[in-house]
């Protein structure tokens, strides 16, 4: 009976993933869609040299390989969008299985924010983040070194921001993260260390010298400053406090791993406060852990009221995301400019 129940749950979750992927597949001209449409339609025209490919297309070579594979079977952009979305959801689902939590629980926190902002726009980062966090869980909880290393390389080849996750693949860092002793002090020290490193990077313009793309951003509005106390940062601080308080009771390695990843996210957000896009992109990349932490911590705190709280969160955050964070999304979704 247990096997049959598990099979039914898997089938239901796959149906849910398929349904949500269809929503993405039929999107209109959302921000960044024109870029992905152009790359997909002209994939055979770009250089086979990874460096030149990046310069010509504006996307990483690994993502180009995915485009080549899909384009070999079909040149339909709707099918292509469906496949990318399905793979993203699949890695989130695989992570929930590894963490032994329900996919539907995580979905309630994923849909009103990351689903809207990444699967409908920043699909490269969304896909890479889903893959790389799966890799970290495999390494920290299941010690699958080869598998997680392959996934890390794939994630980096899809979106270069994933390279920041290399920190968590250092053996000494793993030992530090999985140590329950003096957790609060350790988290504070970790946060301070990441924050200081960010300030050193900004002080000496290290990233601008390493990456031409970041150097290009540094002379645009994307390099503007953001307030320490803007809404997104305040929200992250509140969540971080919730996660730390809950960690006192949820003493397991998976929760600790996600907590340190989220601590990194908050430190990056604040540490790169004077480089808006870097603060946001890196903060979101590590902030991906939020959807799993919310599902675990709120279920522990609210218990029987969890689904009431989660649905309330879903409704409120959908409203906030669509009205303040990306107020153009609904109009963009139903437009089709990139097809012309």
């Amino acid at each position: 009976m247990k096997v049959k129940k598990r099979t039914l749950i898997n089938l239901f979750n796959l149906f849910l993933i398929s349904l949500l992927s269809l929503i993405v597949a039929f999107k209109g001209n959302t921000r960044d869609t024109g870029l992905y449409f152009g790359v997909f339609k002209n994939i055979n025209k770009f250089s086979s040299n990874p460096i030149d490919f990046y310069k010509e297309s504006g996307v990483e070579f690994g993502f180009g390989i995915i485009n080549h594979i899909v384009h070999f079977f079909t040149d339909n952009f709707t099918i292509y969008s469906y496949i990318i979305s399905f793979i993203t959801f699949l890695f989130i689902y695989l992570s929930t299985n590894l963490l032994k939590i329900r996919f539907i629980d995580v979905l309630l926190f994923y849909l009103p924010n990351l689903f809207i902002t990444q699967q409908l726009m920043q699909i490269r980062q969304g896909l890479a983040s889903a893959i790389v966090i799966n890799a970290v869980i495999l390494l920290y909880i299941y010690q699958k070194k080869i598998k997680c290393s392959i996934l890390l390389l794939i994630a980096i080849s899809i979106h270069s921001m994933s390279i920041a996750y290399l920190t968590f693949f250092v053996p000494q860092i793993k030992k530090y993260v999985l140590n329950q002793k003096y957790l609060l002090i350790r988290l504070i020290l970790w946060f301070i260390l990441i924050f200081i490193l960010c300030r050193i990077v900004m002080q000496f313009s290290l990233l601008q010298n390493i990456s031409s793309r970041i150097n290009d951003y540094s002379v645009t509005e994307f390099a503007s400053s953001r307030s320490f106390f803007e809404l997104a940062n305040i929200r992250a601080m509140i969540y971080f406090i919730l996660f730390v308080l809950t960690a006192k009771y949820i003493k397991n390695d998976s929760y600790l791993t996600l907590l340190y990843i989220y601590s990194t996210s908050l430190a990056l957000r604040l540490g790169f406060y004077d480089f808006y896009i870097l603060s946001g992109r890196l903060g979101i990349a590590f902030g991906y852990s939020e959807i799993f932490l919310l599902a675990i911590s709120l279920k522990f705190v609210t218990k029987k009221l969890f689904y009431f709280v989660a649905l309330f969160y879903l409704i409120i955050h959908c409203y906030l995301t669509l009205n303040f964070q990306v107020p153009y999304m609904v109009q963009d979704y139903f437009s089709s400019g990139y097809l012309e």
Side-chain angles (χ1 to χ4, degrees), residues 26 39 52 63 68 84 91 93 120 131 151 159 161 166 179 206 244 250 292 313 318 327 335:
F26 289 101
V39 171
D52 291 336
F63 192 73
H68 271 293
I84 298 294
F91 273 98
Y93 180 47
L120 296 177
I131 293 173
L151 289 176
H159 198 289
M161 285 294 180
L166 276 172
N179 193 330
L206 298 180
V244 171
I250 305 175
F292 305 102
Y313 175 98
C318 271
S335 68

PDB file of all heavy atoms in Angstrom, residues 26 39 52 63 68 84 91 93 120 131 151 159 161 166 179 206 244 250 292 313 318 327 335:
ATOM      1  N   PHE A  26       3.318  29.029 -22.521  1.00  0.00           N
ATOM      2  CA  PHE A  26       2.467  29.928 -23.311  1.00  0.00           C
ATOM      3  C   PHE A  26       2.591  31.387 -22.884  1.00  0.00           C
ATOM      4  O   PHE A  26       1.706  32.193 -23.153  1.00  0.00           O
ATOM      5  CB  PHE A  26       1.007  29.472 -23.217  1.00  0.00           C
ATOM      6  CG  PHE A  26       0.752  28.194 -23.980  1.00  0.00           C
ATOM      7  CD1 PHE A  26       0.677  26.976 -23.313  1.00  0.00           C
ATOM      8  CD2 PHE A  26       0.624  28.202 -25.355  1.00  0.00           C
ATOM      9  CE1 PHE A  26       0.458  25.795 -24.006  1.00  0.00           C
ATOM     10  CE2 PHE A  26       0.405  27.028 -26.059  1.00  0.00           C
ATOM     11  CZ  PHE A  26       0.321  25.825 -25.384  1.00  0.00           C
ATOM     12  N   VAL A  39      18.175  33.434 -29.100  1.00  0.00           N
ATOM     13  CA  VAL A  39      19.220  32.420 -28.957  1.00  0.00           C
ATOM     14  C   VAL A  39      18.733  31.074 -29.474  1.00  0.00           C
ATOM     15  O   VAL A  39      19.437  30.383 -30.228  1.00  0.00           O
ATOM     16  CB  VAL A  39      19.674  32.295 -27.483  1.00  0.00           C
ATOM     17  CG1 VAL A  39      20.607  31.092 -27.306  1.00  0.00           C
ATOM     18  CG2 VAL A  39      20.375  33.567 -27.038  1.00  0.00           C
ATOM     19  N   ASP A  52      33.575  32.605 -27.386  1.00  0.00           N
ATOM     20  CA  ASP A  52      32.941  33.369 -28.465  1.00  0.00           C
ATOM     21  C   ASP A  52      31.424  33.209 -28.438  1.00  0.00           C
ATOM     22  O   ASP A  52      30.688  34.162 -28.736  1.00  0.00           O
ATOM     23  CB  ASP A  52      33.480  32.916 -29.825  1.00  0.00           C
ATOM     24  CG  ASP A  52      34.931  33.310 -30.030  1.00  0.00           C
ATOM     25  OD1 ASP A  52      35.373  34.274 -29.383  1.00  0.00           O
ATOM     26  OD2 ASP A  52      35.627  32.636 -30.816  1.00  0.00           O
ATOM     27  N   PHE A  63      24.124  26.376 -21.379  1.00  0.00           N
ATOM     28  CA  PHE A  63      22.742  26.669 -21.750  1.00  0.00           C
ATOM     29  C   PHE A  63      22.570  26.567 -23.250  1.00  0.00           C
ATOM     30  O   PHE A  63      21.513  26.164 -23.747  1.00  0.00           O
ATOM     31  CB  PHE A  63      22.357  28.063 -21.254  1.00  0.00           C
ATOM     32  CG  PHE A  63      20.890  28.350 -21.338  1.00  0.00           C
ATOM     33  CD1 PHE A  63      19.993  27.761 -20.466  1.00  0.00           C
ATOM     34  CD2 PHE A  63      20.392  29.215 -22.304  1.00  0.00           C
ATOM     35  CE1 PHE A  63      18.630  28.020 -20.545  1.00  0.00           C
ATOM     36  CE2 PHE A  63      19.042  29.474 -22.396  1.00  0.00           C
ATOM     37  CZ  PHE A  63      18.157  28.873 -21.518  1.00  0.00           C
ATOM     38  N   HIS A  68      20.751  23.585 -28.233  1.00  0.00           N
ATOM     39  CA  HIS A  68      21.082  22.727 -29.377  1.00  0.00           C
ATOM     40  C   HIS A  68      20.302  21.413 -29.325  1.00  0.00           C
ATOM     41  O   HIS A  68      19.757  20.958 -30.345  1.00  0.00           O
ATOM     42  CB  HIS A  68      22.585  22.424 -29.393  1.00  0.00           C
ATOM     43  CG  HIS A  68      23.403  23.407 -30.150  1.00  0.00           C
ATOM     44  ND1 HIS A  68      23.311  23.564 -31.521  1.00  0.00           N
ATOM     45  CD2 HIS A  68      24.336  24.298 -29.719  1.00  0.00           C
ATOM     46  CE1 HIS A  68      24.153  24.506 -31.909  1.00  0.00           C
ATOM     47  NE2 HIS A  68      24.784  24.970 -30.847  1.00  0.00           N
ATOM     48  N   ILE A  84      12.311  23.603 -20.518  1.00  0.00           N
ATOM     49  CA  ILE A  84      13.175  24.284 -19.549  1.00  0.00           C
ATOM     50  C   ILE A  84      12.459  24.398 -18.201  1.00  0.00           C
ATOM     51  O   ILE A  84      13.040  24.135 -17.137  1.00  0.00           O
ATOM     52  CB  ILE A  84      13.567  25.695 -20.042  1.00  0.00           C
ATOM     53  CG1 ILE A  84      14.375  25.603 -21.341  1.00  0.00           C
ATOM     54  CG2 ILE A  84      14.346  26.437 -18.964  1.00  0.00           C
ATOM     55  CD1 ILE A  84      15.728  24.950 -21.189  1.00  0.00           C
ATOM     56  N   PHE A  91      14.009  19.492 -10.708  1.00  0.00           N
ATOM     57  CA  PHE A  91      15.108  19.565  -9.742  1.00  0.00           C
ATOM     58  C   PHE A  91      14.622  20.053  -8.379  1.00  0.00           C
ATOM     59  O   PHE A  91      15.144  19.629  -7.337  1.00  0.00           O
ATOM     60  CB  PHE A  91      16.239  20.443 -10.271  1.00  0.00           C
ATOM     61  CG  PHE A  91      17.226  19.680 -11.112  1.00  0.00           C
ATOM     62  CD1 PHE A  91      17.152  19.700 -12.496  1.00  0.00           C
ATOM     63  CD2 PHE A  91      18.214  18.911 -10.505  1.00  0.00           C
ATOM     64  CE1 PHE A  91      18.051  18.979 -13.263  1.00  0.00           C
ATOM     65  CE2 PHE A  91      19.116  18.186 -11.266  1.00  0.00           C
ATOM     66  CZ  PHE A  91      19.037  18.213 -12.647  1.00  0.00           C
ATOM     67  N   TYR A  93      11.665  19.358  -7.239  1.00  0.00           N
ATOM     68  CA  TYR A  93      10.993  18.152  -6.742  1.00  0.00           C
ATOM     69  C   TYR A  93      12.000  17.137  -6.202  1.00  0.00           C
ATOM     70  O   TYR A  93      11.800  16.550  -5.130  1.00  0.00           O
ATOM     71  CB  TYR A  93      10.157  17.548  -7.874  1.00  0.00           C
ATOM     72  CG  TYR A  93       9.405  16.290  -7.487  1.00  0.00           C
ATOM     73  CD1 TYR A  93       8.681  16.234  -6.309  1.00  0.00           C
ATOM     74  CD2 TYR A  93       9.414  15.176  -8.317  1.00  0.00           C
ATOM     75  CE1 TYR A  93       7.983  15.085  -5.953  1.00  0.00           C
ATOM     76  CE2 TYR A  93       8.721  14.024  -7.968  1.00  0.00           C
ATOM     77  CZ  TYR A  93       8.014  13.999  -6.785  1.00  0.00           C
ATOM     78  OH  TYR A  93       7.331  12.858  -6.430  1.00  0.00           O
ATOM     79  N   LEU A 120       9.407  32.909 -15.538  1.00  0.00           N
ATOM     80  CA  LEU A 120       8.816  33.716 -16.602  1.00  0.00           C
ATOM     81  C   LEU A 120       9.791  34.746 -17.164  1.00  0.00           C
ATOM     82  O   LEU A 120       9.511  35.397 -18.164  1.00  0.00           O
ATOM     83  CB  LEU A 120       7.557  34.424 -16.085  1.00  0.00           C
ATOM     84  CG  LEU A 120       6.404  33.497 -15.672  1.00  0.00           C
ATOM     85  CD1 LEU A 120       5.248  34.308 -15.119  1.00  0.00           C
ATOM     86  CD2 LEU A 120       5.937  32.649 -16.845  1.00  0.00           C
ATOM     87  N   ILE A 131      19.332  23.494  -9.838  1.00  0.00           N
ATOM     88  CA  ILE A 131      20.305  22.402  -9.986  1.00  0.00           C
ATOM     89  C   ILE A 131      21.379  22.465  -8.902  1.00  0.00           C
ATOM     90  O   ILE A 131      21.705  21.459  -8.273  1.00  0.00           O
ATOM     91  CB  ILE A 131      20.956  22.444 -11.383  1.00  0.00           C
ATOM     92  CG1 ILE A 131      19.927  22.136 -12.470  1.00  0.00           C
ATOM     93  CG2 ILE A 131      22.116  21.451 -11.464  1.00  0.00           C
ATOM     94  CD1 ILE A 131      20.432  22.328 -13.887  1.00  0.00           C
ATOM     95  N   LEU A 151      26.737  18.031 -11.205  1.00  0.00           N
ATOM     96  CA  LEU A 151      25.617  18.983 -11.183  1.00  0.00           C
ATOM     97  C   LEU A 151      26.100  20.413 -10.999  1.00  0.00           C
ATOM     98  O   LEU A 151      25.559  21.342 -11.608  1.00  0.00           O
ATOM     99  CB  LEU A 151      24.639  18.611 -10.064  1.00  0.00           C
ATOM    100  CG  LEU A 151      23.801  17.353 -10.283  1.00  0.00           C
ATOM    101  CD1 LEU A 151      22.948  17.049  -9.058  1.00  0.00           C
ATOM    102  CD2 LEU A 151      22.901  17.498 -11.516  1.00  0.00           C
ATOM    103  N   HIS A 159      24.521  29.132 -15.783  1.00  0.00           N
ATOM    104  CA  HIS A 159      24.545  30.523 -15.315  1.00  0.00           C
ATOM    105  C   HIS A 159      25.767  30.717 -14.432  1.00  0.00           C
ATOM    106  O   HIS A 159      25.955  30.018 -13.438  1.00  0.00           O
ATOM    107  CB  HIS A 159      23.274  30.877 -14.544  1.00  0.00           C
ATOM    108  CG  HIS A 159      23.058  32.358 -14.427  1.00  0.00           C
ATOM    109  ND1 HIS A 159      23.836  33.168 -13.629  1.00  0.00           N
ATOM    110  CD2 HIS A 159      22.162  33.185 -15.031  1.00  0.00           C
ATOM    111  CE1 HIS A 159      23.424  34.426 -13.739  1.00  0.00           C
ATOM    112  NE2 HIS A 159      22.422  34.469 -14.582  1.00  0.00           N
ATOM    113  N   MET A 161      26.634  32.785 -12.223  1.00  0.00           N
ATOM    114  CA  MET A 161      26.456  33.134 -10.815  1.00  0.00           C
ATOM    115  C   MET A 161      26.585  31.904  -9.913  1.00  0.00           C
ATOM    116  O   MET A 161      26.911  32.017  -8.737  1.00  0.00           O
ATOM    117  CB  MET A 161      25.093  33.800 -10.592  1.00  0.00           C
ATOM    118  CG  MET A 161      25.007  35.231 -11.082  1.00  0.00           C
ATOM    119  SD  MET A 161      26.073  36.365 -10.168  1.00  0.00           S
ATOM    120  CE  MET A 161      25.729  37.914 -11.005  1.00  0.00           C
ATOM    121  N   LEU A 166      30.706  27.447  -5.152  1.00  0.00           N
ATOM    122  CA  LEU A 166      31.938  26.669  -4.959  1.00  0.00           C
ATOM    123  C   LEU A 166      32.411  26.711  -3.513  1.00  0.00           C
ATOM    124  O   LEU A 166      33.050  25.780  -3.018  1.00  0.00           O
ATOM    125  CB  LEU A 166      33.046  27.205  -5.880  1.00  0.00           C
ATOM    126  CG  LEU A 166      33.062  26.674  -7.313  1.00  0.00           C
ATOM    127  CD1 LEU A 166      34.085  27.428  -8.149  1.00  0.00           C
ATOM    128  CD2 LEU A 166      33.371  25.182  -7.331  1.00  0.00           C
ATOM    129  N   ASN A 179      28.346  21.584  11.924  1.00  0.00           N
ATOM    130  CA  ASN A 179      28.633  21.554  13.361  1.00  0.00           C
ATOM    131  C   ASN A 179      27.519  22.274  14.117  1.00  0.00           C
ATOM    132  O   ASN A 179      27.334  23.480  13.952  1.00  0.00           O
ATOM    133  CB  ASN A 179      29.991  22.210  13.635  1.00  0.00           C
ATOM    134  CG  ASN A 179      30.495  21.940  15.043  1.00  0.00           C
ATOM    135  OD1 ASN A 179      29.718  21.777  15.967  1.00  0.00           O
ATOM    136  ND2 ASN A 179      31.808  21.888  15.187  1.00  0.00           N
ATOM    137  N   LEU A 206      37.410  44.071  -7.558  1.00  0.00           N
ATOM    138  CA  LEU A 206      37.957  42.787  -8.002  1.00  0.00           C
ATOM    139  C   LEU A 206      37.086  42.108  -9.049  1.00  0.00           C
ATOM    140  O   LEU A 206      37.596  41.565 -10.029  1.00  0.00           O
ATOM    141  CB  LEU A 206      38.137  41.854  -6.792  1.00  0.00           C
ATOM    142  CG  LEU A 206      39.120  42.345  -5.720  1.00  0.00           C
ATOM    143  CD1 LEU A 206      39.198  41.338  -4.578  1.00  0.00           C
ATOM    144  CD2 LEU A 206      40.509  42.544  -6.337  1.00  0.00           C
ATOM    145  N   VAL A 244      16.543  31.028  12.183  1.00  0.00           N
ATOM    146  CA  VAL A 244      17.514  30.816  13.266  1.00  0.00           C
ATOM    147  C   VAL A 244      16.799  30.351  14.533  1.00  0.00           C
ATOM    148  O   VAL A 244      17.252  29.425  15.214  1.00  0.00           O
ATOM    149  CB  VAL A 244      18.312  32.106  13.543  1.00  0.00           C
ATOM    150  CG1 VAL A 244      19.157  31.952  14.814  1.00  0.00           C
ATOM    151  CG2 VAL A 244      19.212  32.445  12.366  1.00  0.00           C
ATOM    152  N   ILE A 250      14.797  22.316  15.279  1.00  0.00           N
ATOM    153  CA  ILE A 250      14.976  21.414  14.138  1.00  0.00           C
ATOM    154  C   ILE A 250      16.468  21.146  13.978  1.00  0.00           C
ATOM    155  O   ILE A 250      17.173  21.846  13.255  1.00  0.00           O
ATOM    156  CB  ILE A 250      14.394  22.017  12.849  1.00  0.00           C
ATOM    157  CG1 ILE A 250      12.933  22.395  13.055  1.00  0.00           C
ATOM    158  CG2 ILE A 250      14.519  21.032  11.686  1.00  0.00           C
ATOM    159  CD1 ILE A 250      12.310  23.101  11.874  1.00  0.00           C
ATOM    160  N   PHE A 292      12.540  26.191   0.731  1.00  0.00           N
ATOM    161  CA  PHE A 292      12.618  24.952   1.514  1.00  0.00           C
ATOM    162  C   PHE A 292      12.581  25.253   3.009  1.00  0.00           C
ATOM    163  O   PHE A 292      11.912  24.549   3.773  1.00  0.00           O
ATOM    164  CB  PHE A 292      13.903  24.189   1.163  1.00  0.00           C
ATOM    165  CG  PHE A 292      14.061  23.891  -0.301  1.00  0.00           C
ATOM    166  CD1 PHE A 292      14.907  24.644  -1.097  1.00  0.00           C
ATOM    167  CD2 PHE A 292      13.335  22.864  -0.893  1.00  0.00           C
ATOM    168  CE1 PHE A 292      15.046  24.370  -2.448  1.00  0.00           C
ATOM    169  CE2 PHE A 292      13.472  22.586  -2.250  1.00  0.00           C
ATOM    170  CZ  PHE A 292      14.322  23.341  -3.022  1.00  0.00           C
ATOM    171  N   TYR A 313       0.084  33.237   2.746  1.00  0.00           N
ATOM    172  CA  TYR A 313       1.374  33.692   2.213  1.00  0.00           C
ATOM    173  C   TYR A 313       1.320  33.745   0.687  1.00  0.00           C
ATOM    174  O   TYR A 313       1.777  34.724   0.069  1.00  0.00           O
ATOM    175  CB  TYR A 313       2.470  32.727   2.677  1.00  0.00           C
ATOM    176  CG  TYR A 313       3.843  33.023   2.099  1.00  0.00           C
ATOM    177  CD1 TYR A 313       4.788  33.735   2.838  1.00  0.00           C
ATOM    178  CD2 TYR A 313       4.211  32.588   0.816  1.00  0.00           C
ATOM    179  CE1 TYR A 313       6.044  34.012   2.316  1.00  0.00           C
ATOM    180  CE2 TYR A 313       5.471  32.865   0.296  1.00  0.00           C
ATOM    181  CZ  TYR A 313       6.380  33.572   1.055  1.00  0.00           C
ATOM    182  OH  TYR A 313       7.612  33.844   0.531  1.00  0.00           O
ATOM    183  N   CYS A 318       1.712  36.916  -3.920  1.00  0.00           N
ATOM    184  CA  CYS A 318       1.342  37.072  -5.333  1.00  0.00           C
ATOM    185  C   CYS A 318       0.941  38.517  -5.607  1.00  0.00           C
ATOM    186  O   CYS A 318       1.347  39.113  -6.614  1.00  0.00           O
ATOM    187  CB  CYS A 318       0.188  36.130  -5.685  1.00  0.00           C
ATOM    188  SG  CYS A 318       0.714  34.504  -6.228  1.00  0.00           S
ATOM    189  N   PRO A 327       5.379  44.779 -11.659  1.00  0.00           N
ATOM    190  CA  PRO A 327       4.018  45.234 -11.994  1.00  0.00           C
ATOM    191  C   PRO A 327       3.674  45.103 -13.474  1.00  0.00           C
ATOM    192  O   PRO A 327       2.515  45.207 -13.855  1.00  0.00           O
ATOM    193  CB  PRO A 327       4.046  46.708 -11.559  1.00  0.00           C
ATOM    194  CG  PRO A 327       5.484  47.094 -11.608  1.00  0.00           C
ATOM    195  CD  PRO A 327       6.232  45.869 -11.193  1.00  0.00           C
ATOM    196  N   SER A 335       1.307  39.509 -24.005  1.00  0.00           N
ATOM    197  CA  SER A 335       1.783  40.119 -25.244  1.00  0.00           C
ATOM    198  C   SER A 335       2.596  39.093 -26.042  1.00  0.00           C
ATOM    199  O   SER A 335       2.965  38.056 -25.530  1.00  0.00           O
ATOM    200  CB  SER A 335       2.641  41.358 -24.930  1.00  0.00           C
ATOM    201  OG  SER A 335       3.845  40.954 -24.295  1.00  0.00           O
TER     202      SER A 335
END
